[in-house]
Amino acid sequence: MKHWGRSVAWWYWLATVALLGAALSLPSAPAMALVVALTAFQATHFRIRTGDWRAFPVQVRAAFLVLLLAGLWPPLGFVNWLQLAGTAVRVVFDYCALARTMSLMPWNRSAPLGLAALRHAYLMPPSQWRFAGSVRRSGDAGEISSQTPGRGA
């Protein structure tokens, strides 16, 4: 896949898949703590890079962190398994369902939510998907700033 290894975001997500897979396969508090710490570090890194906590890659990582923490509660443990599957898809195919869902949040779009927006968000091939909201992006997948247009998180 041509997107493999091309951005720091891809490497972060690869590390997240490995750590989350290990934490779920061999449940231990230290392994899950590493996943939480890496995700918090990613959010902070992209906040520093973009200069804005509202930047799209920061939002995606913050949402991932909230879901990660929610999955620590036993009745919601399945959420972490969904995150593992979704992050693996992100790493292998460059399709991020969480980023696409975040793009539909009211603060990230300027047009009304409708069928066209849903089609664009979920059915557009990864190579053609662009975040079309009010937060602007730049660079490779996952390397987004609030300055210039570009690719997804």
Side-chain angles (χ1 to χ4, degrees):
M1 300 287 180
K2 69 179 185 176
H3 68 276
W4 288 8
R6 290 189 54 193
S7 71
V8 69
W10 186 87
W11 289 104
Y12 275 139
W13 291 124
L14 179 65
T16 302
V17 163
L19 288 172
L20 186 55
L24 293 173
S25 299
L26 308 165
S28 72
M32 191 57 84
L34 284 173
V35 180
V36 170
L38 175 61
T39 305
F41 180 81
Q42 278 193 70
T44 304
H45 175 235
F46 278 94
R47 188 289 180 207
I48 291 167
R49 239 178 131 159
T50 62
D52 190 354
W53 282 108
R54 296 169 298 170
F56 192 69
V58 179
Q59 289 181 43
V60 171
R61 284 150 183 85
F64 190 89
L65 181 60
V66 167
L67 291 170
L68 196 59
L69 294 172
L72 295 177
W73 186 43
L76 293 179
F78 71 94
V79 170
N80 292 152
W81 286 98
L82 292 173
Q83 287 182 285
L84 178 62
T87 307
V89 168
R90 162 62 179 95
V91 168
V92 175
F93 299 108
D94 199 27
Y95 182 97
C96 183
L98 181 57
R100 290 168 183 244
T101 300
M102 292 300 297
S103 75
L104 296 173
M105 294 295 116
W107 56 86
N108 286 331
R109 59 185 163 78
S110 53
L113 183 61
L115 190 55
L118 292 170
R119 263 196 315 265
H120 179 268
Y122 295 114
L123 301 179
M124 186 74 63
S127 62
Q128 297 173 7
W129 184 74
R130 300 287 183 269
F131 173 69
S134 58
V135 178
R136 310 187 114 205
R137 299 166 299 142
S138 70
D140 291 319
E143 296 184 20
I144 302 168
S145 76
S146 57
Q147 304 302 316
T148 56
R151 295 234 13 236

